[in-house]
């Protein structure tokens, strides 16, 4: 096998999604001398298909703005109000100054961000499949279908089921949620008790008492410029030991309540690896970012956290090159101290409160009665972490 000893590429980023691209762009910002030494390997070709509901919270936009990027350039739908309900009633969140949530399509967003990365002078090679990642004392060998690459540092940005994590941490436990997603046309809502506004998003936790530790969602989106509606169901699997219906049952139930038959539409599913403070995040010369570390466990939110991981990883890599020391022993602490790590820890704690306490009365108390407390926790512990990310 041919060995590609391109010494100018001292930093290999495996995966060209938001976490890998964010790592590269943040490295260019804080250590511009390293930018010409970065190579991103992406197994697909942009615009690449990615199953993802595509919700961008304000934290994602804050991180992108710090990079000088305007995400409004990407086709999107703005959500004015987000509802967090139990059986159709609950808490409504609205940002009085701007949209509460921005919905994009991942193929369009990733292609846009990759374009901005290339414009900054960072090289991306598409269509390269990574087979193995082998760190040693002097560097890292990356085996691919297009030969071997050698680098001083590797960033594993290849997702929940990525090769990098499996190679460097083969025996580590994995906390995995399951997701189903459906796209439907935007039509008038026929539900008598909850008329869905076109610019509102709904997250309903009614499946929890049935041991589906998550929620059903419904919010606006667009496909090729056409207004559509995105539906789905998320289950953390925290209650997997109990008896529970098939995952599509609560989704079909909610869609039917609004005049849609689930079986008439294409159902797509995928796993999400979620964050736990026990997750290992690095070995010498290799660190993980994005879903390879773990997404938000409460909601399965991944994009904003992926961008945040990139910002923190760039700081760790920049410091490692300044000191010429690549153990990455401090990476986990750096993550934990950051606004990103604090928000992930808070969401992990919340996950083990709102889902195991699955009784109907507790869910009603949480989403309908405890609104002031919920707003306080959301504002100071769950949201706005992007502003605290240094």
């Amino acid at each position: 096998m041919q060995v590609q000893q391109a010494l100018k590429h001292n930093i290999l980023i495996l995966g060209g999604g938001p976490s890998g691209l964010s790592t590269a762009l943040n490295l260019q910002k804080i250590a511009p001398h390293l930018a010409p030494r970065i190579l991103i390997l992406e197994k697909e070709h942009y615009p690449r298909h990615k199953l993802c509901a595509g919700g961008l919270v304000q934290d994602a936009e804050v991180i992108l703005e710090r990079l000088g990027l305007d995400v409004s350039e990407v086709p999107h739908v703005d959500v004015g109000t987000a509802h967090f309900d139990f059986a159709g009633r609950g808490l409504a969140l609205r940002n009085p100054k701007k949209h509460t949530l921005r919905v994009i399509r991942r193929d369009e967003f990733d292609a846009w961000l990759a374009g901005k990365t290339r414009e900054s002078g960072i090289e991306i090679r598409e269509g390269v499949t990574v087979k193995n990642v082998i760190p040693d004392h002097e560097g890292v060998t990356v085996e691919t279908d297009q030969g071997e690459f050698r680098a001083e540092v590797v960033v594993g940005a290849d997702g929940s089921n990525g090769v990098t994590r499996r190679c460097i941490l083969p025996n580590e436990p994995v906390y995995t949620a399951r997701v189903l997603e459906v796209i439907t046309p935007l039509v008038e809502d026929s539900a008598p008790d909850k008329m869905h506004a076109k610019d509102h998003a709904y997250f309903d936790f009614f499946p929890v008492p049935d041991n589906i530790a998550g929620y059903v969602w419904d919010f606006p989106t667009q496909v090729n410029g056409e207004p559509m509606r995105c539906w789905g169901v998320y289950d953390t699997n925290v209650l997997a030991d109990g008896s529970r219906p098939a995952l599509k049952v609560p989704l079909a139930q909610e869609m039917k309540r609004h005049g849609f038959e689930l079986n008439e539409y294409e159902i797509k599913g995928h796993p999400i690896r979620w964050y736990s403070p026990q997750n290992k995040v690095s070995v010498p010369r290799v660190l993980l970012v994005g879903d390879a570390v773990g997404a938000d466990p409460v909601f399965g939110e991944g994009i904003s956290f992926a961008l945040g991981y990139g910002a923190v990883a760039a700081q760790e890599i920049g410091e490692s090159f300044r000191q010429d020391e690549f153990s990455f022993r401090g990476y986990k602490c750096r993550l934990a101290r950051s606004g990103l790590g604090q928000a992930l820890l808070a969401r992990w704690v919340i996950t083990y409160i709102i889902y195991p306490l699955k009784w109907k009365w507790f869910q009603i108390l949480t989403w309908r009665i405890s609104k002031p407390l919920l707003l306080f926790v959301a504002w100071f512990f769950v949201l706005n972490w992007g502003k605290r990310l240094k």
Side-chain angles (χ1 to χ4, degrees):
M1 180 178 289
Q2 182 182 3
V3 179
Q4 302 192 25
Q5 296 282 1
L7 296 180
K8 67 176 183 177
H9 296 132
N10 299 105
I11 303 168
L12 280 178
I13 299 177
L14 309 182
S19 63
L21 298 170
S22 174
T23 303
L25 289 168
N26 278 282
L27 264 172
Q28 185 192 55
K29 179 182 176 181
I30 66 174
H33 65 286
L34 292 177
R37 302 160 68 180
I38 299 171
L39 174 62
I40 300 173
L41 301 181
E42 167 55 44
K43 69 177 180 179
E44 305 292 345
H45 292 269
Y46 300 104
R48 58 180 205 166
H49 172 72
K50 179 71 175 180
L51 188 60
C52 174
L56 289 179
V57 298
Q58 295 294 325
D59 296 298
E61 297 190 46
V62 167
I63 296 168
L64 292 170
E65 287 169 2
R66 287 178 180 165
L67 294 171
L69 302 178
D70 182 4
V71 73
S72 66
E73 296 174 0
V74 182
H76 62 274
V77 176
D78 287 344
V79 170
T81 303
H83 299 262
F84 299 88
D85 297 336
F86 180 78
R89 292 171 50 203
L91 171 70
L93 290 181
R94 184 175 183 86
N95 188 332
K97 297 181 180 179
K98 58 190 303 187
H99 55 271
T100 300
L101 185 70
R102 175 162 281 169
V103 183
I104 48 85
R105 302 296 296 170
R106 277 293 302 276
D107 56 345
E108 295 171 330
F109 177 79
D110 289 6
W112 168 79
L113 193 58
K116 295 297 182 181
T117 304
R118 281 189 165 122
E119 288 175 12
S120 73
I122 295 171
E123 183 179 357
I124 304 174
R125 296 190 192 178
E126 301 173 56
V128 181
T129 300
V130 174
K131 303 291 188 180
N132 200 5
V133 178
I134 309 168
D136 56 54
H137 293 299
E138 302 298 325
V140 187
T141 299
V142 177
E143 298 175 353
T144 79
D145 61 347
Q146 297 184 26
E148 290 186 357
F149 293 80
R150 183 77 177 168
E152 290 186 77
V153 168
V154 162
V155 178
D158 44 356
S160 295
N161 197 35
V163 172
T164 310
R165 182 184 56 79
R166 296 203 308 270
C167 289
I168 67 170
L169 300 168
N171 300 315
E172 285 301 300
V174 177
Y175 305 92
T176 305
R178 52 187 186 148
V179 178
L180 297 178
E181 182 181 329
V182 173
I183 300 294
T184 70
L186 181 64
V187 298
E188 184 177 353
D189 194 334
S190 62
D193 59 335
K194 184 171 71 175
M195 296 294 290
H196 279 198
K198 292 182 179 179
D199 69 337
H200 287 212
Y202 299 85
F203 305 86
D204 200 313
F205 293 79
F206 74 88
V208 176
D210 293 325
N211 292 319
I212 293 180
Y215 61 92
V216 171
W217 80 76
D218 164 25
F219 52 72
T221 187
Q222 59 80 37
V223 178
N224 298 322
E226 291 295 321
M228 306 290 279
R229 203 82 189 173
C230 180
W231 304 76
V233 58
Y234 169 78
D235 179 17
T236 63
N237 276 320
V238 168
L239 303 176
D241 292 339
S243 175
R244 54 185 179 171
L247 188 58
K248 69 178 183 179
V249 170
L251 178 58
Q253 178 182 340
E254 182 68 3
M255 291 180 67
K256 188 175 183 64
R257 194 163 72 88
H258 296 279
F260 295 90
E261 292 293 335
L262 175 61
N263 293 333
E264 295 179 2
Y265 301 95
E266 182 181 10
I267 307 172
K268 296 181 179 180
H270 63 100
I272 295 178
R273 183 172 190 260
W274 47 268
Y275 170 84
S276 167
Q278 285 80 37
N279 289 354
K280 291 186 178 179
V281 298
S282 66
V283 297
R285 293 194 177 270
V286 183
L287 55 76
L288 303 175
V289 295
D291 286 359
V293 178
D296 154 43
V298 178
F299 297 104
E301 180 192 346
I303 303 175
S304 65
F305 288 104
L307 296 170
Y309 277 118
V312 178
Q315 295 171 357
E316 182 72 14
I317 294 168
E319 183 67 24
S320 295
F321 273 94
R322 283 191 293 272
Q323 298 183 3
D324 193 30
E325 198 277 326
F326 304 101
S327 69
F328 295 138
R329 284 191 297 264
Y331 179 47
K332 188 167 186 175
C333 288
R334 187 185 294 271
L335 278 172
R337 293 194 308 266
S338 69
L340 164 75
Q342 293 167 13
L344 282 168
L345 179 60
R347 296 192 186 206
W348 178 80
V349 171
I350 291 169
T351 297
Y352 281 98
I353 296 174
I354 65 171
Y355 293 135
L357 301 178
K358 62 184 181 180
W359 306 288
K360 183 177 180 180
W361 66 264
F362 180 80
Q363 296 298 317
I364 291 174
L365 175 67
T366 300
W367 304 109
R368 296 184 188 175
I369 300 174
S370 303
K371 293 182 181 181
L373 176 61
L374 207 61
L375 282 171
F376 175 83
V377 171
W379 188 259
F380 289 100
F381 297 101
V382 177
L383 304 173
N384 300 311
W385 58 266
K387 297 177 182 179
R388 305 193 304 271
L389 194 63
K390 297 180 180 180

